[in-house]
């Protein structure tokens, strides 16, 4: 019996958000809205998104002993996330500087802070969390060597989900554990590197699958997503049409929803279809964690 449906290992940032009429080019200054501060970070976002949907969720992360760290812990607890695995101190809390244009598109610069100090040595003492979790999800806003240690700490029957963002080449040990590897178009091209010999997302999915993951999901924004596995081949999951307000954190909501539903026994295509509804609901509101839907709101789409 698992205590948690999902353990998220990853980053926790304070999102500092400014709305702009258009994002600045090189050497350009533009005026923006008042500064808004929100709890964010890919790991923290995924944990809140899953908990809002009803998943029993725990977070393993590191924050600073500062105002932003307290903001993040309060947000996790308010959503129902177990923060027993959140370490405090060692560096200032990570910060993401985000500009959002009127179409809802965003540009983000991240200062890792305490996220960069989440080390392999922090993972090993958390063995009980890994053995209590049905699914483990990670991203790359923490050191890659820490993600490698996460893979080595997985319980025999648990499932590992990775969104390699920000993208970088992945060692075979990590790729082999992914079930699925979840990438957007930019991340797919970085992970493929010289193997990206096609402009067709269907080919990206097949080539990525050949690199070792047990399954692959390629998200395509308004075009939906592709799911790929050795047994099921490549199939398309349609998007849900909504009026986008802010896309910040929508990918994290998608990943969290997919990871949770896979743990309940749904197929990859079924879980991705549900995740598409959750991601669509998230873009209809401003902010990251504040935009995440409950299960009832997701089903309404």
């Amino acid at each position: 019996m698992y205590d948690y449906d999902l353990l998220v290992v990853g980053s926790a940032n304070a999102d500092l958000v400014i709305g702009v009429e258009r994002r600045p080019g090189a050497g350009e200054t533009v005026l923006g809205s008042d500064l808004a501060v929100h709890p964010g970070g890919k790991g923290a976002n995924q944990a809140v998104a899953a908990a809002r949907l009803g998943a029993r969720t725990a977070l393993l992360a590191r924050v600073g002993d500062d105002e932003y760290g307290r903001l993040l812990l309060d947000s996790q607890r308010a959503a129902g996330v177990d923060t027993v695995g959140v370490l405090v101190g060692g560096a200032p809390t990570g910060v993401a500087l985000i500009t959002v244009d009127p179409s809802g598109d965003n540009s983000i610069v991240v200062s890792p802070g305490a996220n960069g100090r989440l080390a392999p040595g922090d993972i090993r003492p958390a063995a009980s969390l890994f053995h209590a979790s049905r699914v483990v999800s990670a991203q790359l806003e923490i050191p890659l060597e820490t993600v490698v240690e996460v893979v080595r700490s997985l319980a025999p029957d648990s499932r590992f989900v990775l969104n390699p963002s920000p993208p970088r080449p992945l060692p075979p040990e990590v790729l082999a554990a992914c079930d699925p590897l979840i990438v957007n178009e930019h991340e797919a091209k970085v992970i493929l590197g010289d193997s990206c010999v096609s402009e067709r997302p269907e080919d990206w999915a097949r080539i990525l699958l050949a690199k070792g993951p047990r399954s692959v999901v390629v998200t395509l924004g308004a075009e939906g997503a592709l799911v790929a596995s050795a047994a099921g081949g490549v199939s398309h999951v349609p998007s849900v049409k909504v009026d986008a307000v802010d896309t910040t954190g929508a990918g994290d909501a998608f990943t969290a929803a997919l990871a949770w539903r896979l743990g309940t026994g749904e197929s990859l295509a079924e879980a991705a279809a549900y995740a598409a509804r959750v991601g669509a609901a998230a873009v209809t509101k401003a902010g990251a964690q504040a935009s995440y839907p409950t299960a009832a709101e997701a089903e309404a789409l």
Side-chain angles (χ1 to χ4, degrees):
M1 183 68 182
Y2 294 99
D3 294 326
Y4 303 106
D5 299 309
L6 180 64
L7 169 63
V8 182
V9 185
S11 58
N13 295 325
D15 287 349
L16 277 55
V17 183
I18 298 178
V20 292
E21 285 301 313
R22 58 183 178 83
R23 287 172 286 172
E28 182 183 14
T29 299
V30 299
L31 294 177
S33 66
D34 290 343
L35 176 69
V37 180
H38 305 289
K42 288 187 170 296
N45 286 352
Q46 287 185 16
V48 167
R52 285 260 176 86
L53 293 169
R56 297 169 301 164
T57 309
L59 175 66
L60 176 52
R62 184 179 286 278
V63 299
D65 185 10
D66 51 33
E67 180 182 355
Y68 290 151
R70 290 184 284 277
L71 170 73
L72 286 158
L73 284 169
D74 288 346
S75 175
Q76 293 294 309
R77 291 164 181 160
V81 177
D82 191 334
T83 59
V84 66
V86 179
L87 305 169
V88 179
T93 300
V95 172
L97 308 175
I98 304 173
T99 57
V100 182
D101 70 17
S103 73
D105 284 334
N106 60 67
S107 296
I108 305 175
V109 178
V110 175
S111 172
N115 297 310
R117 274 73 163 188
L118 187 66
D122 296 324
I123 302 301
R124 300 181 194 109
S128 60
L129 277 177
F130 286 90
H131 285 270
S133 302
R134 187 182 303 276
V135 181
V136 177
S137 177
Q139 326 77 40
L140 297 185
E141 287 184 337
I142 58 175
L144 182 56
E145 58 266 27
T146 304
V147 176
V148 172
E149 190 61 35
V150 168
V151 167
R152 293 172 180 172
S153 301
L154 295 171
D157 296 328
S158 64
R159 189 163 186 164
F160 180 62
V161 176
L162 177 66
N163 171 220
S165 179
R168 71 192 81 169
L170 297 171
E173 180 179 7
V174 171
L175 282 169
C178 296
D179 192 15
L181 176 73
I182 303 177
V183 293
N184 63 21
E185 297 170 69
H186 169 64
E187 292 154 2
K189 290 180 178 179
V190 172
I191 301 298
L192 286 170
D194 293 338
S195 302
C196 189
V197 294
S198 170
E199 289 301 313
R200 298 179 69 246
E202 294 85 353
D203 293 332
W204 303 343
R206 293 187 183 94
I207 299 169
L208 283 168
L209 194 62
K211 287 183 173 290
R214 302 176 193 183
S215 58
V216 170
V217 175
V218 181
T219 60
L220 303 172
E223 300 304 314
L226 297 173
V227 299
S229 65
V234 179
S235 58
H236 179 256
V237 175
S239 63
V240 179
K241 304 304 180 185
V242 294
D243 293 325
V245 173
D246 182 0
T247 61
T248 305
D252 301 327
F254 178 97
T255 297
L258 186 144
W260 171 49
R261 294 301 275 242
L262 287 173
T264 67
E266 288 189 350
S267 70
L268 186 60
E270 290 170 334
Y274 180 78
R277 292 200 297 275
V278 172
V283 304
T284 63
K285 300 178 184 178
Q289 293 178 21
S291 73
Y292 293 154
T294 63
E297 289 168 339
E299 292 294 347
L301 286 179

